[in-house]
Every structure is written in C-alpha cells, then in structure tokens.
C-alpha cells in the first residue's frame, strides 16, 4: 500500500471542501480501513506504525476542519478492527476503547493541563493523581472470571465484539486458571495485552531460522499470530505472556483507584506491570514528573522484558475517570504518548558485501534512505548468507527496517503483500547470491574452519578492506583512541579513489593501493617531526610519507544552487582529502584535521601496553583481556615470548583470558608479518612496556566490581582502570560472584538485579572509599560480611 501524497493542505475552516480534498479524504478512509484489516485480522501490517499514524492524523486533520464530510463509517469513529470470522464472536460486557495518541511534548502538555483543569475546576484544593505506565506493544485481550475461574477470553475486535480465544489463552502460563487470595467479585472482566518478551522472541526466531522457517517481523506480530492459531497446541508451543492494564465489566473491586486495582489484581494472582508509577498534582511540576517517566523509559525501553511503543497516562481515581467520561472512541481520562517510530518501510535497492578487519565477508542492505528513530538510514547489516535466506528478502522488496537498541539498523523482513505488486510498479525482484571471491582483493572466499557459516577472505596481510579495517580499529576508543583516524580517514589512507560514483548509483567504491600499504607504517606518519606537529607549517617540515598524503584524492559530490539553496547535483569530482586544495595565494598543505592526526598518533605512542594489544587486532583480544595480559606480563616482549614458546596453559589461566584467547595469541605471534608490525611500531617509538607503579595499593585483590550508570568523576574506561590497577576485576554483569555494584545516574537493570541478589551497592563516594581502603571499609555495614575479602561465590 502506498502512502498518498499530501495535498497542499486542508481547505480553510468554513470553506466548502474542494473536490481534490474530498478525493483525498475518501482515499485516506479506504487506506486506513485496509491497514486496520491487515493489522487486526491478518496480523500482517502493510504499513509501519509511523506510516499508519501519519495517515490517521491526516484523516483527523481533515475531519476537524470539515466535520460536514465525516462519514459514519470513518475509521476515526471506530475503535479497531472487526472480529475475524475464524473465531466465535464475543460481546464484551463493557466496551474496550482505544487511546488518544500524543506525539509531542506540546501535545502532552495540552492534554494534561486541559484534563487536570477539568478535574480541579470548582475545587482548587483537589490534587488529582495519575497512573503512568508503559504501553505494551501486544494484542489487547479481555478476560472474564466467574467464581474465581477463567471462563472466557476474547480479543478487542471493534471494541464491542471480539474473538473467542479462550482455549488459546488457557495455554499462557501468566494467566491463572483459578484466582488465589480472597475478595474477588463473583464475576468480573479485566483487560490487558498478550505479548512475547524480547528474549523469548529472539529465541523463537533463532529456532525458526534453524528450521528453515522465515522469522517473525516483530514481537507484536508473533504474539498476535500465535494467539490466533486454530489449534491451541500450536499456541502452547509459543512463549506468550500477558500483563493486565484495566478493569472491564463487573462490580466494584472494592478499591478506589487504578493503582489500588493493580494491587488487588496482583494479590489474586493476576499479572500486572512492574513498570508503573504514580504522579500527583495538576500543575507544570506534575507534568514535569510525567515527562521524566517518559524520558526514563525512552532510555530504558530495550532493557524492559517486552517491547513498548509509548507511555500511557491515566487519571488514577475511578471517580475522576467517571467524571471525565469518554468520547465515542477514546476515554477522556487516558492518553498514550507515542515514542518516535522504530519501524519503517523502505525499498531494498541492493544487497552488497563488505569485508571486515578479520576477513569476515558480511552482506549488507543498501536501501532508499529513510528516517527511523531520529536518524536517516540507508545501510544495514544482514550478517551472513544464511540470515539473508532466513529473513526471506529479495532485492527489490519493500522491507521493514528498525533500529535494534535505538542504535543499530536492522532489516526485519519483507512486506510480503507489496511483493505481489512489484512487477506492476516496474520493480524486478531477484535473489541475493553470495560472491565466491573477495570484492576487495579477488581472493577466493572460504570458511575459517569446517562447519563455519561465515565466509572469510584468507588474504589477511594485504587485502585492502581488511587493512583499512585494522587501521580504523587501531584508532578506536578501545585501542589508541586517535579521534582523527576514523572510518573515512582509514579508508583513504589505504585505498585509491576507485571509479566515478556517478557510474555506480552514487556509491563510493574505493579500490587500489593508497599511501599506507600495511598497518606497520601508521606510526611513521608521526615519526621524525614530533616537535613540529602541534603548530602550523608548510610542506617543508613534513616527512616523505606525510607529504605523500597530498596526493590522496577522493570523490566528492558537487552541489548546485536551486532557488537559493544548494542541493546535490549527482556529479562527482576528485578532491584532496588530507590537504587543502591550494590557491594562487595559498599553497596546498595539511588540513587542520591532518595535523591533529599527526599529533594524536604521536601521543598514542605513550599509551599503556594493553591499548597496543587491542590495536593489533588479535582475534578475541578486547580491552578486558588486554588489561589482564598487560597486568600479568608487564611488557610486549614478555607476552610475545610466552606466546612464541606455546605456553598455552600459562596464558589460559590468566583471569579473563582462557584457552580460546590463549590459542589466538599463539597463532597470531606465529605469523612473521604480525611480528614485523610489533617491531616496526616499537622502532617508531610506540611504548611496549608499562611502568610499574609500586605505590598503587592493591586494595581490590580478588574483588569483583560492576560499575553501572554515569559517574561524575569517572568515565567508563577510567573506572575500569581504577579497579584493575588495584588488583580487582571489573565485570560487565551482576551475579552472585559480584562483590560490589557501583551505581551512578540512570543505573538501570543492573541495580535492580544487584538488589535482588543482595549485592552491596555503593554510590560514587563509596566507590572512591572502596578504591582507597578496599572492602574492609564496609565490613561493619549491612552487606555480605567478609564475602568481599574471600572472593568466594556467595551462592
């Protein structure tokens, strides 16, 4: 389904609607109704949530300005989809309403202050309370209990009539067949969302991939499809859960408010959300508290047990809810603040492959640029050829795109209904075929070992793509932290400019040898002129290698001025990257960023040995293992001697290393060209030995510390460093073996787990004390006494 092009805007209020506006309105009605059918009945939405919301809001805008054209069957006058004929119809005892959607803080402010004003009108002393809870992205279901037993379960349907899914809901472990406790009414209804937890969804899709089945697009579709199985045995095999968020028909539960109702339901064994807050007040301060909850769960949304798409704000007191009442479609006492969209649709233009620094060849999607979760995305990884097959995508498909963790773009799968119309839209669909040779150097691809799914380029030493990846990696924050050596700079140090992008769909395809032909040369860019690097200078002060950077040219798209605005022209020109272009008055010379590159590389030479280990791109050796190795050996020479002597057991017994990393070290140092890199860096002045600080007390010997949240006086890396240099272990996860958790701002789920396990929790001041005095400083407090000093598993 295509999204209609908006007209120039609704005609002004009071004017007779134009024929163009009436046609747009009729089209919108049909499209929204079709989208609802696909969403509620077929569990196969053709539009993303964001696209549907945009259509629906446009429909509302037109109807608000021109109420005379509102059709009786307009989707804005209905709650949801109709009940499917595949299930018996169930008439709800009380109507199930939709919620008014709010998409900005301004809309939230308008709704909140208007609603609060209604509640306090004539009674200024009243201070209404609000239940603020997460909006679960699931399938709305109504449960009916009679004499404490579950007798009926039905989907929302159109709000009045839903589908009987009783037998399927009985298979959900969270839903009690018989209530516990006492005080429940003889018969009553409760409402909630059936969903699939994030962890269960990932496991289910992994299982389907192993079985050769296409993955589900998202947890909501998976839950809805599972609940609508005609065979309850199929539903029983799906990991469904349910959380209640409301009360339907039936007598008073004996409580006066929403949050008290949740307490009562929980006491009867019914599932309620752990993510509910109570906010009091009717002014800007109360609104600020609501916004704070929205922002908190916006940051934490992927830490929760289930997917959410917003936050629901409800008047807490049932008396206030009755006072406010309902419209024909939504309650006036509740609204849903919707987060920015995380799933959108876009066209899959091609599937290309990239080669990483370890030689792994990864397919990635090249798509029409689209905005998702606040940024424009056109590329997304597809991991390997098996994942491409499992996702079932074809080049030319319209695909569902989302951001995993609000950061990483991910292709979820194809929009199958649109595949059928691809030919009519002039789109040719084709399958992806994994290349047999490395696209960067032409070497035949092969698995690293028998049984591996991933294909790799075995030309590790001279493959341009792998070299560029290693050069970029050595400048990364976890290695030498050379800010001026990012992906683009690394690419152009290693590669020539390649063909004109205008001949390749606008894509820059680097190829050929660049200035740097091996990572051993990188520090030569800083060698020989350290005293001159920090100040401006001409070419006279440059080394031969530095001067050769002036020959590096890259393709840049030119821009054309149209109506006073510069826009991309589609034409490309070769421009210098590391040097200025040069004019008749001012000769070409290093850019400010290039001079900064020289400076930062010079400073990197004095970094500790563990950073050098990370920078060498030894497989599996990250910052944690590198720190442990540097602490154990103290110098590159000592570590190299152990590896070349094949001392696997000695390496493996180091905390945080183990046999896999030990084998990787031995294999890496066995390569002559790897040893050449170490020797060349050492000759250029890179530090290969740490100075031992004998004055640093080993206050944390045998102590495991987890740091979470933001600390004012420590970055994440410096906090880890402070723990390690005192003999402690800086862990990333909380377990029974954790001795202390240091919790800063926005600590999140690690703090919750620590509290559940009884792990002592310290604030930043406590962390400083722990570093200085060790666990003995807390021996008299209410902690696991003596545990921190033993290093034993409290479990």
């Amino acid at each position: 389904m295509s999204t209609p092009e908006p007209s120039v805007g609704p005609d002004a209020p009071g004017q007779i609607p134009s024929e163009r506006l009436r046609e747009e309105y009729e089209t919108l009605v049909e499209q929204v109704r079709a989208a609802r059918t696909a969403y509620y009945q077929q569990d196969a939405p053709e539009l993303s949530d964001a696209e549907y919301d945009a259509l629906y809001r446009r429909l509302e805008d037109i109807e608000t300005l021109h109420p005379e054209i509102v059709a009786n069957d307009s989707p804005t006058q209905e709650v949801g989809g109709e009940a499917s004929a595949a299930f018996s119809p169930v008439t709800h005892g009380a109507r199930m309403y939709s919620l008014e959607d709010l998409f900005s803080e301004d809309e939230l402010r308008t709704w909140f202050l208007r609603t609060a004003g209604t509640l306090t009108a004539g009674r200024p002393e009243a201070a209404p309370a609000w239940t603020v809870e997460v909006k679960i992205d699931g399938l709305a279901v109504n449960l009916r209990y009679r004499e404490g037993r579950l007798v009926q379960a039905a989907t929302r349907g159109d709000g009045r009539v839903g589908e009987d899914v009783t037998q399927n809901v009985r298979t959900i472990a969270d839903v009690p067949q018989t209530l516990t406790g006492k005080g429940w009414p003889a018969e009553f209804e409760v409402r909630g969302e059936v969903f699939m937890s994030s962890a269960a969804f990932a496991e289910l899709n992994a299982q389907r991939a192993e079985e050769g089945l296409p993955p589900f697009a998202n947890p909501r579709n998976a839950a809805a499809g599972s609940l609508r199985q005609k065979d309850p045995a199929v539903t029983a095999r799906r990991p469904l859960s349910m959380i209640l968020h409301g009360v339907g028909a039936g007598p008073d539960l004996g409580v006066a408010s929403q949050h008290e109702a949740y307490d009562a339901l929980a006491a009867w064994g019914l599932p309620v959300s752990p993510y509910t807050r109570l906010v009091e007040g009717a002014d800007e301060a109360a609104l600020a508290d609501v916004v704070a909850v929205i922002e908190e769960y916006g940051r934490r949304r992927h830490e929760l047990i289930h997917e959410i798409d917003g936050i629901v704000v409800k008047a807490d007191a049932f008396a206030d809810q009755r006072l406010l009442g309902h419209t024909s479609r939504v309650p006036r006492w509740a609204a849903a603040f919707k987060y920015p969209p995380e799933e959108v649709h876009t066209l899959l233009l091609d599937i290309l492959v990239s080669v990483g620094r370890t030689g792994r060849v990864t397919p990635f999607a090249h798509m029409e640029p689209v905005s998702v979760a606040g940024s424009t995305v056109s590329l997304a990884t597809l991991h390997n050829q098996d994942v491409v097959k499992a996702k079932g995508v074809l080049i030319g498909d319209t695909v569902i795109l989302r951001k995993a963790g609000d950061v990483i773009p991910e292709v979820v799968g194809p929009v199958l209904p649109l595949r059928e119309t691809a030919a009519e839209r002039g789109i040719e669909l084709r399958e992806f075929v994994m290349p047999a040779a490395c696209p960067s150097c032409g070497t035949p691809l092969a698995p690293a070992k028998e049984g591996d799914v991933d294909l790799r380029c075995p030309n590790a030493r001279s493959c341009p793509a792998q070299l560029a990846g290693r050069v970029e990696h050595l400048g990364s924050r976890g290695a030498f932290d050379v800010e001026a050596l990012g992906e683009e700079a690394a690419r152009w140090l290693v590669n020539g400019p390649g063909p004109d992008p205008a001949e390749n769909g606008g894509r820059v395809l680097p190829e050929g040898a660049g200035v740097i032909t091996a990572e051993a040369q990188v520090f030569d860019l800083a060698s020989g002129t350290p005293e001159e690097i920090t100040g401006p200078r001409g070419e006279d002060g440059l080394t031969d290698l530095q001067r050769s950077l002036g020959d590096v040219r890259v393709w840049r798209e030119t821009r054309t001025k149209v109506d006073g605005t510069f826009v991309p022209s589609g034409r490309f020109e070769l421009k210098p990257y590391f040097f200025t272009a040069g004019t008749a008055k001012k000769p070409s010379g290093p850019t400010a960023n290039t001079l900064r590159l020289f400076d930062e590389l010079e400073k990197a030479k004095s970094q500790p040995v563990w950073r050098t280990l990370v920078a060498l791109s030894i497989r599996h050796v990250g910052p944690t293992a590198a720190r442990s190795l540097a602490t154990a050996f103290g110098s590159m020479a000592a570590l190299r001697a152990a590896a070349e002597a094949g001392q696997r057991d000695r390496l493996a017994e180091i905390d945080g290393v183990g046999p896999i990393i030990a084998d990787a070290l031995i294999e890496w140092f066995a390569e002559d060209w790897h040893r050449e890199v170490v020797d060349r860096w050492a000759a250029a002045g890179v530090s290969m030995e740490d100075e031992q600080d004998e004055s640093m007390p080993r206050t944390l010997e045998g102590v495991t510390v987890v740091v979470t949240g933001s600390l004012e006086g420590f970055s994440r890396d410096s906090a880890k460093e402070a723990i390690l240099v005192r003999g402690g272990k800086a862990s990333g996860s909380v377990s029974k073996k954790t001795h202390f958790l240091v919790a800063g701002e926005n600590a999140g789920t690690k703090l919750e787990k620590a509290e559940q396990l009884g792990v002592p929790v310290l604030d930043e001041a406590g962390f400083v004390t722990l570093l200085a005095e060790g666990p003995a400083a807390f021996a008299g407090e209410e902690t696991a006494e003596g545990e921190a000093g033993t290093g034993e598993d409290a479990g």
Side-chain angles (χ1 to χ4, degrees), residues 126-137:
W130 311 86
T131 298
V132 185
E133 59 192 36
V134 298
K135 186 175 185 294
I136 303 170
D137 194 12

Side-chain angles (χ1 to χ4, degrees), residues 163-177:
E163 304 152 347
D164 190 335
V165 288
T166 307
Q167 298 308 314
N168 290 2
V169 169
R170 289 188 189 280
T171 69
I172 301 175
D174 290 348
V175 179
Q177 306 299 305

Side-chain angles (χ1 to χ4, degrees), residues 101 122 136-137 163 184 194 268 272 528 681 687:
D101 289 333
I136 303 170
D137 194 12
E163 304 152 347
W184 26 264
V194 171
W268 300 336
V272 297
W681 284 6
S687 174

Side-chain angles (χ1 to χ4, degrees), residues 17-36:
S18 65
E19 189 62 27
R20 179 181 179 184
L21 187 70
R22 289 182 180 275
E23 291 176 0
E24 181 188 1
Y25 176 75
E26 291 173 0
T27 300
L28 283 168
V29 168
E30 293 175 3
Q31 290 189 313
V32 171
R33 188 179 294 122
R36 281 191 166 184

Side-chain angles (χ1 to χ4, degrees), residues 34-280:
R36 281 191 166 184
T37 299
Y39 186 88
Y40 287 104
Q41 294 187 16
Q42 301 167 2
D43 301 320
E46 297 181 2
L47 296 179
S48 68
D49 287 351
E51 290 169 323
Y52 176 85
D53 287 340
L55 288 175
Y56 193 91
R57 285 169 70 81
R58 172 66 177 162
L59 188 63
E60 284 184 319
D61 288 344
I62 295 175
E63 292 183 345
T64 298
L65 292 173
H66 298 286
E68 68 273 19
I69 69 173
V70 177
N72 291 333
D73 61 348
S74 167
T76 63
Q77 309 304 302
E78 304 166 353
V79 173
E82 299 176 350
S84 169
F87 296 89
S88 301
V90 172
T91 301
H92 301 306
R95 187 173 181 182
M96 296 181 71
Y97 287 86
S98 296
L99 289 172
E100 180 179 353
D101 289 333
L102 311 173
F103 295 88
S104 69
E105 191 170 329
D106 285 340
E107 290 184 2
L108 173 66
R109 173 177 285 102
T110 299
W111 177 87
F112 182 89
L113 296 179
R114 181 185 68 233
T115 307
T118 301
L119 293 177
T120 56
R123 46 173 190 160
E125 74 285 355
W130 311 86
T131 298
V132 185
E133 59 192 36
V134 298
K135 186 175 185 294
I136 303 170
D137 194 12
L139 185 71
V141 169
N142 184 79
L143 306 179
R144 180 182 294 272
Y145 282 87
R146 184 179 299 136
E147 301 301 331
R149 295 182 178 277
L150 177 66
V151 295
Q152 191 176 72
T155 63
R156 181 172 65 179
D158 65 1
R160 297 185 184 279
V161 179
E163 304 152 347
D164 190 335
V165 288
T166 307
Q167 298 308 314
N168 290 2
V169 169
R170 289 188 189 280
T171 69
I172 301 175
D174 290 348
V175 179
Q177 306 299 305
T178 303
L179 300 181
T180 58
K182 58 184 179 180
W184 26 264
E187 185 169 342
F188 68 108
E189 291 180 352
V190 286
R191 282 87 189 267
E193 298 287 321
V194 171
F195 65 93
M196 194 173 289
S197 74
S198 301
F201 175 73
E203 292 176 2
L204 179 63
N205 264 354
Q207 177 185 339
R208 290 176 67 85
E210 291 178 0
E211 296 170 355
L213 299 173
F216 287 112
N218 53 56
R220 193 270 172 195
N221 283 10
S226 300
L227 192 63
R228 285 195 168 106
Q229 293 293 321
K230 293 183 179 180
D231 183 359
V234 177
T235 304
R237 292 195 293 270
R238 302 282 173 81
L240 297 178
S241 300
M242 186 173 186
I243 285 179
L244 302 181
H245 53 56
V247 179
D252 191 335
L253 299 184
V255 295
S257 67
Q258 191 83 29
H259 81 273
E260 291 174 351
Y262 290 161
D263 291 341
L265 295 177
W268 300 336
L270 290 161
V272 297
S273 176
Y275 311 119
T276 300
R277 306 284 179 83
L278 192 65
V279 171
E280 295 183 346

